[in-house]
Amino acid sequence: MENIEMILSRFPHTGRIGRLVKVLENESDKNLILLVLEDAEKYNSLNKEEKSAWWKKSVEKMEQHLGKDKAVQIMRICGAKCCGKGQRETAHRLMKEAGSLKKFLDKISKHDVRQGELTYILENNNTIIADHNKCFCKQVANSRQQFKNLTYCQCSVEFNKQFFKAALGKEVHVELLQSIICGANSCKFKITF
């Protein structure tokens, strides 16, 4: 019988799945990783719909074997890494160029996206409502089945937290109000600072 290290060595260690593998290796027991990441060695040969289904199943297994709180924590760690140095620098630069929060929100509602895909509205002096009219996560955007809860999307929560923290230069809180992969028409976030 193969040892755990040999099996894990066959898992992808690049891309988004590679990031998840690395986070799980740091955050959980290796025996549990095998349960959570079942068939990960086949991941790169899957089509888009199959990859989305793989993520759905893996998050459900993460919740089952590690608990919901730990699964949320892992997805947030992934999201912090997803909003890398380049995205944070872009957020800071765009805010500086805009000169005001309102202009910044208008600018990022159009930056590298099609018209209407994103809207950021300043609800009051310390609250932004972000509305994403499409799922921007290529890992799950092609899912044919709804996800049962918002755990996977905690990655996007943390991405937005890191992005707005870099832009505003202060701590922010991000709450996911609804998600497309859970059946909503849009992904909606509430960002407070």
Side-chain angles (χ1 to χ4, degrees):
M1 186 170 162
E2 285 184 284
N3 71 29
I4 293 172
E5 298 297 331
M6 289 180 70
I7 296 169
L8 287 174
S9 72
R10 291 198 306 267
F11 287 6
H13 280 79
T14 58
R16 297 292 192 270
I17 185 174
R19 181 177 295 147
L20 178 64
V21 170
K22 290 173 188 171
V23 170
L24 281 167
E25 285 176 339
N26 289 332
E27 297 292 326
S28 67
D29 178 85
K30 290 186 179 181
N31 289 309
L32 293 175
I33 295 171
L34 298 180
L35 295 172
V36 170
L37 300 179
E38 182 182 352
D39 297 327
E41 65 277 3
K42 299 175 186 172
Y43 181 82
N44 289 326
S45 66
L46 302 176
N47 66 34
K48 290 178 181 180
E49 289 85 15
E50 292 168 335
K51 285 180 179 178
S52 293
W54 183 91
W55 281 97
K56 179 181 181 298
K57 185 170 108 178
S58 293
V59 169
E60 288 171 0
K61 288 182 174 205
M62 203 183 316
E63 290 177 338
Q64 177 187 353
H65 296 293
L66 304 176
K68 182 163 176 70
D69 289 345
K70 188 67 170 178
V72 165
Q73 177 188 355
I74 287 167
M75 293 313 299
R76 287 188 178 171
I77 292 169
C78 286
K81 293 179 182 298
C82 195
C83 187
K85 184 179 178 188
Q87 286 92 347
R88 292 190 311 271
E89 287 174 350
T90 297
H92 179 75
R93 177 181 54 81
L94 292 174
M95 179 63 182
K96 190 174 180 181
E97 289 171 1
S100 75
L101 184 54
K102 173 101 174 76
K103 288 179 183 176
F104 170 71
L105 297 176
D106 289 342
K107 188 172 224 158
I108 63 171
S109 292
K110 299 172 186 120
H111 184 74
D112 287 342
V113 295
R114 291 187 184 136
Q115 183 69 31
E117 288 181 338
L118 288 175
T119 55
Y120 294 93
I121 305 294
L122 189 59
E123 187 176 70
N124 59 45
N125 287 341
N126 64 345
T127 305
I128 298 165
I129 300 297
D131 204 2
H132 299 194
N133 293 311
K134 75 175 231 178
C135 178
F136 286 95
C137 180
K138 293 178 183 172
Q139 279 49 251
V140 297
N142 295 293
S143 184
R144 292 186 175 194
Q145 294 183 332
Q146 285 184 12
F147 282 50
K148 67 179 184 177
N149 60 44
L150 300 173
T151 299
Y152 179 85
C153 298
Q154 296 306 306
C155 181
S156 294
V157 168
E158 191 63 30
F159 181 97
N160 276 283
K161 181 178 180 180
Q162 296 301 317
F163 185 85
F164 281 95
K165 180 179 176 182
L168 302 174
K170 60 177 84 172
E171 287 299 322
V172 300
H173 173 76
V174 178
E175 178 185 359
L176 179 61
L177 304 174
Q178 63 186 37
S179 168
I180 291 170
I181 65 170
C182 291
N185 290 329
S186 67
C187 295
K188 192 171 282 195
F189 301 86
K190 182 177 184 179
I191 301 121
T192 53
F193 51 92

